[in-house]
Amino acid sequence: IQVEALVEDINADSIEALVRETDLVLDATDNFETRYLINDVCIKYERPWIYSGVIASYGVSMNILPGDTACLRCAFPEMPMPGTTPTCDTAGVLNGIVGAISGLASTEALKILLKSEKISHAMTWIDLWENTFDRIELPRQEDCPACGQHHYEFLESLQGGSSATLCGRNAVQVRGTTRRSGQKLDFATLAERLQPLATVNYNEFLFRCNIDTYEITVFPDARAIIKGTDDEQVARSLYARYIGM
Ligand SMILES: [Zn+2]
């Protein structure tokens, strides 16, 4: 086995070249936007991928075998609204669940590569604190935009966010995504989650929090200005960690 490490930002422009040559993709990402992008590209090139995620004491893992199992958009047709789901920085992660889910996913990876008959066709949901282990077989959805209709909205950047450095201001604008235009972020819920970590202020028009040396200002349409960096990757990572994407 030869390991080739790449330091790359995964986005709609870079992902196709990375995935086209692979046999399998394991998701170890920390945000939904990247997972929907992985889903699009893996369906397009018919590459199996393993969706995995952990938060607090629970985690989920699901093999996505294009043309065979449900895909991420069959299971969750739309990306959650920014600010509505807990993130590692707002809810934390219990280390045991990382071991449980990564053990599950890496074993499924071996089975997929070996074309085993034992490959899981269900979504596995584990909560170590609540002592639950559930498996749900999800059906494929004929009208799924990705695997049913082959419309790759994230890959074609019709959905998902973008970012741009604001010249000379040591700030980056990150455009998060609202599911539907006109939908607004719930600042009260966001404030509740971030209050333990940051100084939070908000009114009807904007939400502001100070974390470390950064000042994050979020607008109701999920757009944010992150002051304290001119690096888009740093800004997008802060957005994913604290606001959620
Ligand atoms: Zn699908």
Side-chain angles (χ1 to χ4, degrees):
I1 295 172
Q2 203 175 351
V3 175
E4 183 190 357
L6 298 170
V7 180
E8 291 260 6
D9 183 39
I10 300 282
N11 53 49
D13 295 324
S14 67
I15 196 167
E16 289 195 58
L18 294 168
V19 167
R20 225 171 2 213
E21 306 298 323
T22 58
D23 297 310
L24 170 70
V25 175
L26 275 152
D27 158 34
T29 65
D30 64 352
N31 66 82
F32 283 105
E33 190 180 333
T34 308
R35 292 186 177 112
Y36 279 90
L37 197 54
I38 293 172
N39 190 64
D40 270 4
V41 79
C42 286
I43 300 292
K44 182 174 176 183
Y45 291 100
E46 298 182 336
R47 295 288 180 271
W49 76 280
I50 305 177
Y51 159 54
S52 299
V54 294
I55 194 80
S57 63
Y58 62 90
V60 60
S61 186
M62 173 185 174
N63 294 338
I64 294 170
L65 312 169
D68 184 4
T69 67
C71 81
L72 187 67
R73 291 198 81 179
C74 291
F76 310 108
E78 301 294 339
M79 204 164 68
M81 277 276 284
T84 58
T85 52
T87 72
C88 302
D89 289 86
T90 58
V93 176
L94 206 61
N95 59 356
I97 193 64
V98 179
I101 293 293
S102 57
L104 189 72
S106 52
T107 307
E108 287 303 318
L110 289 179
K111 291 193 231 169
I112 291 170
L113 292 173
L114 294 170
K115 299 185 169 49
S116 162
E117 287 169 11
K118 305 283 185 184
I119 294 170
S120 167
H121 281 68
M123 174 184 278
T124 305
W125 184 282
I126 304 172
D127 191 323
L128 294 181
W129 205 260
E130 300 294 335
N131 313 310
T132 56
F133 186 104
D134 295 302
R135 288 172 45 77
I136 312 155
E137 277 217 32
L138 296 166
R140 283 189 65 192
Q141 303 294 335
E142 271 175 34
D143 59 350
C144 168
C147 74
Q149 298 172 5
H150 299 278
H151 291 155
Y152 307 116
E153 296 172 336
F154 290 86
L155 197 54
E156 287 155 14
S157 298
L158 300 175
Q159 289 214 37
S162 60
S163 57
T165 306
L166 300 175
C167 209
R169 287 173 53 187
N170 194 31
V172 176
Q173 174 172 277
V174 178
R175 193 170 284 282
T177 43
T178 50
R179 231 180 333 220
R180 285 174 284 277
S181 59
Q183 202 166 12
K184 287 185 174 169
L185 291 198
D186 180 356
F187 287 159
T189 309
L190 189 57
E192 207 172 293
R193 287 188 15 234
L194 287 175
Q195 237 134 22
L197 305 169
T199 321
V200 170
N201 286 297
Y202 68 95
N203 60 27
E204 194 186 335
F205 307 105
L206 59 87
F207 174 98
R208 183 166 286 161
C209 64
N210 292 82
I211 297 173
D212 299 330
T213 54
Y214 304 103
E215 181 191 88
I216 304 178
T217 306
V218 190
F219 301 94
D221 65 355
R223 184 171 62 90
I225 291 175
I226 296 169
K227 274 192 195 165
T229 181
D230 51 17
D231 184 327
E232 286 182 38
Q233 282 189 38
V234 170
R236 289 174 65 78
S237 158
L238 286 163
Y239 190 100
R241 284 170 64 187
Y242 295 108
I243 312 303
M245 58 166 54

